[in-house]
Amino acid sequence: MNGRRWYPLAERGGEAQAATGLARAAAPRPIDALTGPKLALAGRVVTMDAAFTVLNDGVLYIDRGAIVAVQARAAPPPPGFEAVAPVRTEGTLLPGLIELHNHLSYNVLPLWSPVPRRFEHRGQWPDHPDYRRLISGPMTIVGTWRDAQGRAALLAPLVRYVECKCIVAGVTTSQGIMLNSNAGVQRHYRGILRNVEQTDDPDLPEAKARIDDVEARNAQAFLARLNKQGESGCFLLHLSEGVTPDGQADSLARRHFLALRVAADTWAINQRLAGIHAAGLLAEDFAVLGGHGGAMVWSPLSNLLLYGATARVDAARRAGVRIGLGSDWSPSGSKNLLCELKVAWLVSQQLLGGLFSARDLAAMVTRDAAAILQWEAALGSLEPGKRADLLVIDAHTGDPYEALLRARETDIHLVMVNGVARYGVPSLMAALGAGGGETLRVGGRTRRWFLAQDSGDPDVAQVSLAEARRQLRAALHDLPRLARELEQAPVRRATLALDAPEPVVWSLALDEIRPTGSELRPRLPFEAPDDFTGPQTALRAAAAPLSTVLAPVRLDPLTVADDPDYLARIAAQPNVPVPIRSGLAAFYGVQATPPPQVNTGPGALPAAQPH
């Protein structure tokens, strides 16, 4: 977790500090997990090990960012911990949640409500006028706007905010945020959340969520990339985004999967491939995916919001396909992984006859997710020798796995990453030596942050959560003005010597909006060499300037608990089956409003049905 050199977006010094309104001296001193004190946490310990061991009165011992022992409280402490008093959590300890699919940078945007029609595949909804006005346009401004000094002033606040949005829901691992520079260099932000795409840890192979354009379009190149010798880590790639209706054998979404058959007896699938969504696959396709060792990442709410149906996870389970979960993004997905767990449970119970147990779903965001990443030796369960990523929920009795599914953000009492307490109730944070940080109210309850990190990105380190929220609210409210500034910015003229280096300028890698030189999905040909499958996601040429299209947008609140309109907006979604809408509201103790009629406008499809 340490030792990486970082290249800031702005010059350090008084000017940069003035831009954030913060003084570095006021920040709490970072805790280095490799030199910090030994810790012991007591409570009900849900290990998620192979035997699914649960210690109703257990203690977890931690040293140098790793778990040393997990044992009953009555047992003597392990050597070296004789003088360490266990901190009583008064709750249930679980492994930190691992999210395998999330476009984090978009999570400042609110839910698209209502989704205006029922779509068939990923290539359709970016053409709807709402998409540019509500999603791609705002993100283009946030990702490319520069202040008067030419700095990408909104990127560090964005990273701070969306990372915290994950952590308040118990997520300790998710996907990263990619930056592009005018020098052709790409990099990820580094923060307190584990990034599956950049780990700086040999025991945690880095996942590949992007592939080069050439590999994406050439069957042999893609197959060679999957089978590359000496390379570890999985490929988290979008696959078959859309639906194939029951009784129908062909769809654009399914063709995206079938194009992976690169020869009569050869599929570009192996144990390194995890298909994100996989909603267009039929049962026979899951048999192929499972037979070749492939996995999938399920995002049920996103699928239901856009397509009125979700992946055939019953067929995936029968085929032995390992399944992880991801909330996708806030514009058309769950606010966080806790919410997505609830939707997955409701789909299982209401539409699939109780296909998955609460333990099955808990495994999808812990041990199974770690196995998909090839991280099972280091994360995904609370066992000696593994990294100390964990959360504590306010639950003492009853089924511990169901307690996780029912947990709301107000029930999260502690989140720890690499043995460092990052977020939690003030009493636990103080007891773990992390009591001097910023506070936050979640559902009217006080929580405390510890955001300092020596190895983190220096730009993010300068921005508190409160400051990030202030800057993002202002920017999203002023989108038309910021768009005009970008449109009216003069073209930069050469003022330096021809051989002088040009200053590096960073911007957000807008994967789903602009070409970046890489793809989030394979685009292999299907019926002809130029019949490329998968959607064209870069925006089509648009005549109207963004300043004439955009309107103020509300910053999406961090939690369901602090978003009074969220469940009402879910209830107004015509493509989501009524049992899912009403059931989700019940999870949060809210009565859903009467469901509206299904869209019947131009291009609308029949009423939503489960597969």
Side-chain angles (χ1 to χ4, degrees):
M1 299 289 287
N2 294 312
R4 182 174 175 82
R5 183 182 178 190
W6 294 100
Y7 300 90
L9 302 184
E11 293 298 324
R12 298 275 67 86
E15 185 178 69
Q17 289 192 6
T20 64
L22 299 175
R24 287 187 67 99
R29 184 175 182 272
I31 295 173
D32 187 341
L34 299 182
T35 60
K38 292 181 172 67
L39 302 172
L41 296 174
R44 180 169 64 167
V45 182
V46 181
T47 66
M48 299 302 297
D49 64 6
F52 292 97
T53 304
V54 176
L55 300 177
N56 288 318
D57 188 15
V59 181
L60 192 77
Y61 294 92
I62 299 168
D63 185 25
R64 299 170 64 85
I67 299 170
V68 174
V70 184
Q71 58 191 51
R73 194 198 298 241
F81 285 84
E82 293 84 358
V84 178
V87 175
R88 298 173 62 90
T89 66
E90 306 296 342
T92 296
L93 288 74
L94 297 113
L97 306 186
I98 300 173
E99 178 163 50
L100 294 185
H101 177 48
N102 197 328
H103 300 276
L104 287 183
S105 57
Y106 290 79
N107 288 346
V108 296
L109 301 178
L111 186 70
W112 186 5
S113 180
V115 173
R117 55 161 289 197
R118 192 172 169 220
F119 301 101
E120 295 174 290
H121 57 81
R122 173 65 176 82
Q124 291 178 325
W125 43 269
D127 284 332
H128 194 281
D130 279 1
Y131 181 74
R132 187 170 185 238
R133 179 173 59 88
L134 300 176
I135 301 172
S136 65
M139 285 312 303
T140 298
I141 302 304
V142 171
T144 59
W145 184 76
R146 299 288 181 269
D147 65 11
Q149 288 74 42
R151 295 172 300 199
L154 295 176
L155 298 191
L158 175 105
V159 174
R160 175 66 79 207
Y161 192 82
V162 299
E163 273 206 327
C164 289
K165 197 176 186 185
C166 289
I167 290 170
V168 297
V171 174
T172 55
T173 297
S174 190
Q175 289 189 271
I177 296 177
M178 177 72 81
L179 299 179
N180 285 336
S181 80
N182 57 338
V185 177
Q186 291 186 327
R187 72 172 178 91
H188 285 96
Y189 263 116
R190 172 63 177 275
I192 60 176
L193 191 70
R194 283 195 196 275
N195 173 7
V196 300
E197 299 168 67
Q198 185 170 285
T199 67
D200 298 330
D201 188 331
D203 294 330
L204 302 175
E206 293 176 348
K208 289 80 176 170
R210 296 167 177 81
I211 50 176
D212 292 341
D213 286 343
V214 172
E215 293 171 340
R217 294 169 178 262
N218 182 285
Q220 293 304 318
F222 181 65
L223 182 62
R225 187 76 172 89
L226 282 179
N227 292 325
K228 187 175 181 180
Q229 294 296 318
E231 185 178 77
S232 59
C234 76
F235 285 84
L236 294 171
L237 299 177
H238 291 63
L239 182 65
S240 195
E241 302 158 84
V243 291
T244 307
D246 288 336
Q248 183 174 315
D250 185 36
S251 70
L252 287 181
R254 188 178 183 224
R255 288 186 182 191
H256 191 218
F257 172 79
L258 294 177
L260 296 178
R261 189 176 187 181
V262 298
D265 57 352
T266 305
W267 286 82
I269 302 171
N270 63 16
Q271 72 280 359
R272 299 182 66 197
L273 179 65
I276 295 170
H277 295 301
L281 273 64
L282 300 180
E284 62 200 76
D285 304 325
F286 279 114
V288 172
L289 183 66
H292 287 77
M296 69 167 289
V297 183
W298 187 28
S299 295
L301 184 57
S302 177
N303 301 156
L304 293 171
L305 284 166
L306 295 169
Y307 310 120
T310 188
R312 294 175 169 85
V313 287
D314 49 349
R317 182 168 191 175
R318 288 195 300 270
V321 174
R322 185 173 275 128
I323 303 172
L325 277 182
S327 56
D328 199 352
W329 60 356
S330 63
S332 63
S334 292
K335 190 178 289 289
N336 53 46
L337 196 56
L338 273 185
C339 183
E340 192 73 6
L341 273 168
K342 294 169 177 53
V343 175
W345 174 252
L346 289 167
V347 170
S348 173
Q349 294 297 110
Q350 299 294 330
L351 306 182
L352 299 174
L355 175 68
F356 298 117
S357 68
R359 193 178 81 176
D360 292 333
L361 293 172
M364 289 182 191
V365 295
T366 55
R367 59 178 294 109
D368 290 349
I372 290 172
L373 293 169
Q374 301 177 12
W375 289 8
E376 63 267 41
L379 275 173
S381 60
L382 301 179
E383 298 181 79
K386 294 193 175 183
R387 306 296 190 276
D389 288 11
L390 61 90
L391 73 151
V392 176
I393 60 174
D394 184 18
H396 314 277
T397 59
D399 185 283
Y401 310 106
E402 189 169 329
L404 175 63
L405 299 187
R406 295 190 176 279
R408 307 172 189 175
E409 298 105 340
T410 50
D411 295 317
I412 304 296
H413 280 196
L414 180 69
V415 178
M416 180 176 281
V417 183
N418 210 48
V420 178
R422 290 297 182 185
Y423 168 83
V425 297
S427 58
L428 283 178
M429 295 294 284
L432 295 170
E438 182 179 1
T439 59
L440 172 75
R441 299 284 286 178
V442 175
R445 304 174 191 184
T446 301
R447 296 292 183 264
R448 190 172 295 280
W449 289 99
F450 185 81
L451 300 175
Q453 183 183 22
D454 274 343
S455 61
D457 193 291
D459 289 288
V460 182
Q462 301 236 0
V463 183
S464 69
L465 174 58
E467 178 65 13
R469 181 155 45 188
R470 185 194 67 77
Q471 291 189 38
L472 291 169
R473 278 176 174 165
L476 292 172
H477 182 268
D478 290 341
L479 284 173
R481 177 180 64 82
L482 300 184
R484 283 192 298 273
E485 290 182 11
L486 281 171
E487 291 162 0
Q488 296 169 4
V491 177
R492 184 181 181 275
R493 300 184 185 278
T495 58
L496 304 173
L498 291 178
D499 59 350
E502 185 176 355
V504 175
V505 179
W506 295 97
S507 60
L508 199 63
L510 299 167
D511 294 292
E512 299 291 76
I513 300 174
R514 294 179 175 177
T516 62
S518 60
E519 293 274 1
L520 301 182
R521 51 187 64 76
R523 302 204 61 237
L524 302 184
F526 184 60
E527 291 185 327
D530 59 352
D531 179 28
F532 296 109
T533 56
Q536 286 278 13
T537 56
L539 275 185
R540 289 70 168 168
L546 277 176
S547 60
T548 67
V549 173
L550 298 180
V553 170
R554 185 186 70 152
L555 175 65
D556 194 51
L558 284 173
T559 65
V560 176
D562 296 291
D563 187 347
D565 301 323
Y566 182 72
L567 294 167
R569 292 198 302 273
I570 292 290
Q573 296 290 346
N575 298 330
V576 179
V578 173
I580 309 304
R581 286 186 255 164
S582 58
L584 187 61
F587 263 120
Y588 290 97
V590 176
Q591 185 174 0
T593 57
Q597 289 187 331
V598 173
N599 288 319
T600 57
L605 299 176
Q609 299 291 330
H611 281 313

